């Protein structure tokens, strides 16, 4: 999940940059040693990466017990899927991003400074609603219904409307809005509108199912304990998704390539003014040292961390994952993205 600390320019250690520069000009040779550092320096059991660059495809891995075909939990990458559904509904004039939440869910948001009459759907999408993040209390360990998640949030002080503050609560509320507008769950709408048309055969919203589809590896907590079984209701519309490396590359390529949203609504998604450059609508930019900006999202849920990043036209997409909750060295991720998207010498 992005924060102001991780989305601004992150200093990359000279040692990491040296390891990237030591490789040849090819992305494959520059990145594979760096991916191995996720195991040695990042202290993860295993890491994997899948790159699509035009017609070229490359898979790499490090550590044991991980493969390209694995199904895994994608955490907050779910938010890009939910935002895509909401923007499609806006394109169909079934809702407006300037509508207040109160129009669809009267009386839901009341308490600790939160007021659904003044919180718009755009504010939910851009994390500028002021709603406190319910996961700050549950720590991703307590299964909740959407209403319970909202009630946990409303028991906490609002961070103040109009300011960027990452909050999974907003996307839980958006899931409720999708049901009110369409009569179907957010999962059903995402399957109909995104998963089925793109043939994302490894992607699903598991609901209360604690197991992962086959094939899959194991997922580990920071202490090494096996937490492969997990109730996805700890995250709901903010982080329920199960998917694969291939499907995430295909999804972001299609999204940024204009296959899921009309041009106007894709520009809306990529607009970052509301969040002061930090976040768009379900997607965020990162400017790399060479000046290239990549778009995508990350996802963290117990036992899994995933990052997808793509060029603005969607032709170059990289997704990498580790089979534990966090990477010990925060400099590894920006170094990997730099190696993937910045041609040598720029």
């Amino acid at each position: 999940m992005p924060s102001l600390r991780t989305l601004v320019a992150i200093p990359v250690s000279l040692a990491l940059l040296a390891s990237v520069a030591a490789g040849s000009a090819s992305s494959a040779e520059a990145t594979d040693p760096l991916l191995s550092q996720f195991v040695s320096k990042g202290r993860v059991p295993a890491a994997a990466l899948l790159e699509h660059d035009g017609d070229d495809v490359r898979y790499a891995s490090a550590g044991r017990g991980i493969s390209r075909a694995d199904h895994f939990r994608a955490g907050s990458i779910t938010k890009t899927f939910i935002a895509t559904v909401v923007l499609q509904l806006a394109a169909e004039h079934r809702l407006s991003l300037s509508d207040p939440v109160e129009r669809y869910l009267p009386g839901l948001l009341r308490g600790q400074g939160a007021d659904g009459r003044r919180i718009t759907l755009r504010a939910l999408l851009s994390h500028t609603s002021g709603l406190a993040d319910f996961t700050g209390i549950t720590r991703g360990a307590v299964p909740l219904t959407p209403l319970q998640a909202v009630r946990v949030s409303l028991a906490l002080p609002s961070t103040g409307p109009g300011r960027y503050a990452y909050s999974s609560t907003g996307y839980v509320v958006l899931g409720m809005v999708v049901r009110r507008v369409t009569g179907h769950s957010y999962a059903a709408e995402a399957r109909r509108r995104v998963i089925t048309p793109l043939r994302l055969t490894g992607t699903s919203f598991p609901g209360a199912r604690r197991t992962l589809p086959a094939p899959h590896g194991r997922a580990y907590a920071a202490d090494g304990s096996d937490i492969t079984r997990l109730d996805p209701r700890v995250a709901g519309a903010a982080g329920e998704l199960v998917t694969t490396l291939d499907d995430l590359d295909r999804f972001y390529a299609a999204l940024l390539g204009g296959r899921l949203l009309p041009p106007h609504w894709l520009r809306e998604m990529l607009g970052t003014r509301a969040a002061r450059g930090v976040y768009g609508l379900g997607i965020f930019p990162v400017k790399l040292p060479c000046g290239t900006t990549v778009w995508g999202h990350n996802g963290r849920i117990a036992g899994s961390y995933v990052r997808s990043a793509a060029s603005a036209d969607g032709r170059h997409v990289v997704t990498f994952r580790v089979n534990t909750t966090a990477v010990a060295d925060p400099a590894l991720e920006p170094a990997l993205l730099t190696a993937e998207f910045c041609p040598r010498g720029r």
Side-chain angles (χ1 to χ4, degrees), residues 20 25 27 30 287-294 316 334 336-346:
V20 173
S27 174
K287 189 172 183 178
L288 300 175
C290 61
T292 296
T293 295
V294 295
H316 187 184
L336 186 148
L337 294 180
T338 298
E340 285 293 330
F341 289 97
C342 290
R344 190 180 182 187
R346 280 185 62 180

Side-chain angles (χ1 to χ4, degrees), residues 69-75 77-78 81 195 200-207 209-216 228 230 232 236 239-245 247-248 301 304 306:
D70 281 347
H71 295 79
F72 53 86
R73 306 186 194 282
I77 284 180
T78 307
F81 283 73
I195 294 172
L200 306 182
T201 56
T203 299
S204 63
F205 287 84
R209 188 178 70 243
R210 296 170 58 89
T211 57
L212 288 167
H216 67 81
T228 306
L230 177 73
E240 178 189 338
L241 198 72
V242 168
T243 188
T244 65
L245 292 171
D247 278 7
L248 286 183
I301 195 168
S304 179
V306 190

Side-chain angles (χ1 to χ4, degrees), residues 120-137:
T120 65
L121 301 188
R122 184 184 296 277
L124 298 178
L125 288 163
S126 61
H127 297 293
T128 57
S129 68
L131 292 174
D133 192 340
F134 73 92
T135 64
I137 295 295

Side-chain angles (χ1 to χ4, degrees), residues 1-7 74-79 127 133-136 138-140 164-169 234-235 238-240 278-279 284 296-302 304-307 325 333:
M1 301 177 188
S3 65
L4 289 175
R5 180 176 61 84
T6 58
L7 294 182
S76 285
I77 284 180
T78 307
K79 292 179 173 68
H127 297 293
D133 192 340
F134 73 92
T135 64
T138 64
R139 301 297 180 188
Y164 173 80
Y166 192 92
S167 175
S168 289
T169 308
V234 301
E240 178 189 338
V278 176
Y279 197 90
F284 63 86
H297 215 289
N298 56 356
R300 190 188 313 280
I301 195 168
S304 179
Y305 178 77
V306 190
R307 177 70 161 97
T325 309
E333 181 175 322

Side-chain angles (χ1 to χ4, degrees), residues 5-6 8-17 19-20 34-35 37-38 41-42 288-289 305 320 327-339:
R5 180 176 61 84
T6 58
V8 296
I10 305 174
V12 180
S13 68
L14 291 176
L16 285 174
L17 288 177
S19 71
V20 173
L34 185 55
L35 189 65
Q37 293 187 42
F38 279 79
K41 292 185 177 182
L288 300 175
Y305 178 77
F320 75 87
V327 178
D329 187 342
L332 288 169
E333 181 175 322
L336 186 148
L337 294 180
T338 298

Side-chain angles (χ1 to χ4, degrees), residues 35 55 90 93 111 123 130 150 166 171 177 192 199 201 204 245 264 280:
L35 189 65
D55 294 329
H93 305 290
V150 171
Y166 192 92
Y171 277 76
V177 170
R192 183 174 73 84
R199 299 181 181 178
T201 56
S204 63
L245 292 171
H264 167 76

Side-chain angles (χ1 to χ4, degrees), residues 135-312:
T135 64
I137 295 295
T138 64
R139 301 297 180 188
V142 181
L144 299 174
T145 67
L147 185 57
Q148 287 171 334
V150 171
R151 286 174 175 168
V152 169
S153 170
L154 293 178
L156 302 170
S158 168
T159 59
R163 295 174 52 200
Y164 173 80
Y166 192 92
S167 175
S168 289
T169 308
Y171 277 76
V172 170
V173 174
L174 286 167
M176 299 169 76
V177 170
V178 168
R179 177 178 285 279
R180 181 61 58 92
V181 170
T182 66
H184 306 122
S185 70
Y186 61 83
E189 286 296 315
R191 282 193 295 269
R192 183 174 73 84
R193 295 169 173 273
V194 179
I195 294 172
T196 299
L198 294 183
R199 299 181 181 178
L200 306 182
T201 56
T203 299
S204 63
F205 287 84
R209 188 178 70 243
R210 296 170 58 89
T211 57
L212 288 167
H216 67 81
R218 313 306 298 174
Y220 300 97
D223 63 5
S225 59
D226 190 313
I227 51 174
T228 306
R229 290 176 60 88
L230 177 73
D231 191 326
R233 290 174 297 177
V234 301
E240 178 189 338
L241 198 72
V242 168
T243 188
T244 65
L245 292 171
D246 276 281
D247 278 7
L248 286 183
D249 275 10
R250 189 177 301 119
F251 167 67
Y252 280 101
L255 177 63
L256 290 163
R259 292 174 55 196
L260 292 173
L261 294 171
H264 167 76
W265 292 103
L266 181 57
R267 288 193 297 271
E268 286 284 322
M269 175 177 261
L270 302 183
T272 61
R273 179 177 297 180
R276 294 173 172 80
V278 176
Y279 197 90
L281 305 181
I283 196 168
F284 63 86
V286 170
K287 189 172 183 178
L288 300 175
C290 61
T292 296
T293 295
V294 295
W295 291 87
H297 215 289
N298 56 356
R300 190 188 313 280
I301 195 168
S304 179
Y305 178 77
V306 190
R307 177 70 161 97
S308 288
S311 58

